[in-house]
Amino acid sequence: MERLRSIAQSRTEPASRVERARILLAYREDPSFFAVGQALGLHHQTVQRCVERAVVEGPMAALDDRPRPGKEPVITIEAKAWLTSLACRKAKELGYPHELWTTRLLARHAREHGPAEGHACLASLAQGTVCKILDQEEVKPHKVRYYLEQRDPEFSEKMAEVLCVYRRVKLLKKVAVASKKKPSDAVAIISYDEKPGIQAIATTSPDLPPEPHVHATFARDHEYKRHGTVSLLAGIDLLTGKVHALVKDRHRSREFIEFLKLLDAAYPAHTAIHLILDNHSAHVSRETRAWLAEQPAGRFEFTFTPKHGSWLNLVEGFFSKLARSILRHIRVASKQELKDRLMAAVDYFNDDPVVHTWTYKLDKAA
């Protein structure tokens, strides 16, 4: 009874269920079909049918509509299967300039070619019906979901090497906490990468500031002027959180070597500098290897992430933070201004360095 009262007072239940719940409650108080009909503004036969069904099937079952046979489906199961298999092919394979299907194009193709394939019921197929059929089969031929194929046969081994470096970082941090001292300067572990193609975009008209109760946001002319792009070469010391960075027009071997020289000057001569980085050609070029050969033994050590394994590099988190905070909506008057602001951002982050920590699958490192 409490369930019926809840449904009778509900604002979210279907109107038919609410009405029938009220009929049953009212009939319980006054067992008269005519009186209940008068009270609720219904015909007494409507009340009678509801009550008689509740007696036979139960009050809760009487609230729902009985299943009806409905109209026989016009489109056959075979036609639906043919349409679904068609949707699983690319439109270009059938001579269309489209890469993928649109539901409108698919419906037109089915109307034109379905009857010849033995599916006469598709002769007047509507676009909306195509959408319903594909929705039932959970096929969305107009959409693309990207995936990344693992092409490095040694992916697991290389990932394990990177995770071992991160585990070493974790142990060094634990030792420093236990001894209540700064991390030892015997080793520096740097997560390094480049962020190329940062656009130096200028406005063509001044931005208009917000005005209370008038304009809630900054207003900006949609036109802009491009001054070119720059590349940010950055590495994070995983023990201290300090960011080392250079901003250059390009990121070739010579720029990478310049970054290595920056690291060389930043750490004592006895510090072993261990870099985690990807397989960019500049990192393994003849010019880079020649420069490294001139350095003292053990000064630089590289651990490469596997191909398509950039997510293993912690510096990507820093680049994401930079994009969301500094580069978001940025406008500059020149390329040099962009370089200055990027380096100012690095200084800003280094004022309160964040020590990045890797934890995912760390316990599975070989």
Side-chain angles (χ1 to χ4, degrees), residues 83 86-87 89-92 96-111 125-127 130-131 134 140-143:
L83 182 67
L86 187 67
R89 300 173 62 187
K90 286 190 174 182
K92 69 176 184 179
Y96 292 101
H98 309 66
E99 177 74 14
L100 303 177
W101 292 107
T102 64
T103 52
R104 187 185 303 277
L105 178 64
L106 186 57
R108 193 184 80 181
H109 183 90
R111 287 195 299 269
L125 181 67
Q127 180 186 359
V130 170
C131 294
L134 296 182
K140 299 179 180 179
H142 58 290
K143 292 188 175 182

Side-chain angles (χ1 to χ4, degrees), residues 167-209:
R167 187 167 64 180
R168 183 184 180 191
V169 172
K170 182 178 180 180
L171 293 174
L172 289 172
K173 289 177 181 177
K174 189 178 293 185
V175 169
V177 170
S179 61
K180 297 181 181 180
K181 296 179 181 179
K182 292 182 178 180
S184 171
D185 62 357
V187 62
I189 301 177
I190 311 294
S191 174
Y192 168 83
D193 202 1
E194 299 95 0
K195 184 175 179 63
I198 303 174
Q199 296 191 71
I201 299 178
T203 56
T204 55
S205 302
D207 286 348
L208 304 179

Side-chain angles (χ1 to χ4, degrees), residues 143-322:
K143 292 188 175 182
V144 174
R145 188 182 70 179
Y146 287 89
Y147 72 96
L148 189 59
E149 184 177 349
Q150 186 172 306
R151 294 187 174 91
D152 192 336
E154 299 178 353
F155 189 95
S156 298
E157 292 80 359
K158 292 179 180 178
M159 180 178 71
E161 290 178 10
V162 175
L163 295 183
C164 283
V165 177
Y166 289 147
R167 187 167 64 180
R168 183 184 180 191
V169 172
K170 182 178 180 180
L171 293 174
L172 289 172
K173 289 177 181 177
K174 189 178 293 185
V175 169
V177 170
S179 61
K180 297 181 181 180
K181 296 179 181 179
K182 292 182 178 180
S184 171
D185 62 357
V187 62
I189 301 177
I190 311 294
S191 174
Y192 168 83
D193 202 1
E194 299 95 0
K195 184 175 179 63
I198 303 174
Q199 296 191 71
I201 299 178
T203 56
T204 55
S205 302
D207 286 348
L208 304 179
E211 188 175 341
H213 307 296
V214 180
H215 301 293
T217 66
F218 278 93
R220 174 174 289 168
D221 191 338
H222 72 279
E223 292 188 359
Y224 60 88
K225 182 178 180 181
R226 294 184 74 250
H227 293 298
T229 61
V230 300
S231 294
L232 173 64
L233 292 74
I236 298 180
D237 188 318
L238 299 181
L239 295 173
T240 65
K242 182 178 179 180
V243 179
H244 304 276
L246 288 175
V247 182
K248 296 293 179 179
D249 291 336
R250 301 173 68 180
H251 56 290
R252 301 162 296 179
S253 297
R254 65 189 65 178
E255 284 81 20
F256 178 57
I257 291 173
E258 187 175 346
F259 181 84
L260 295 179
K261 291 178 179 178
L262 175 71
L263 292 180
D264 191 42
Y267 292 96
H270 64 272
T271 301
I273 303 174
H274 193 154
L275 276 80
I276 299 171
L277 67 173
D278 62 23
N279 291 276
H280 190 276
S281 58
H283 306 161
V284 293
S285 66
R286 183 185 306 172
E287 188 176 353
T288 300
R289 286 185 280 110
W291 185 85
L292 290 172
E294 298 174 355
Q295 309 310 306
R299 177 60 166 172
F300 286 95
E301 182 182 351
F302 291 177
T303 296
F304 294 102
T305 58
K307 190 174 183 179
H308 294 162
S310 60
W311 54 275
L312 282 166
N313 207 338
L314 274 172
V315 75
E316 297 295 340
F318 168 73
F319 286 152
S320 175
K321 180 179 179 180
L322 186 76

Side-chain angles (χ1 to χ4, degrees), residues 20 23-25 27-28 31-34 36 43-64 66:
R20 290 163 188 164
I23 290 173
L24 296 178
L25 290 171
Y27 186 80
R28 186 173 185 274
S32 167
F33 300 143
F34 186 81
V36 172
H43 196 279
H44 69 277
Q45 290 182 350
T46 302
V47 177
Q48 183 177 354
R49 284 195 298 269
C50 181
V51 173
E52 290 177 349
R53 186 182 171 199
V55 171
V56 175
E57 301 179 14
M60 298 309 298
L63 302 184
D64 298 316
R66 283 193 176 99

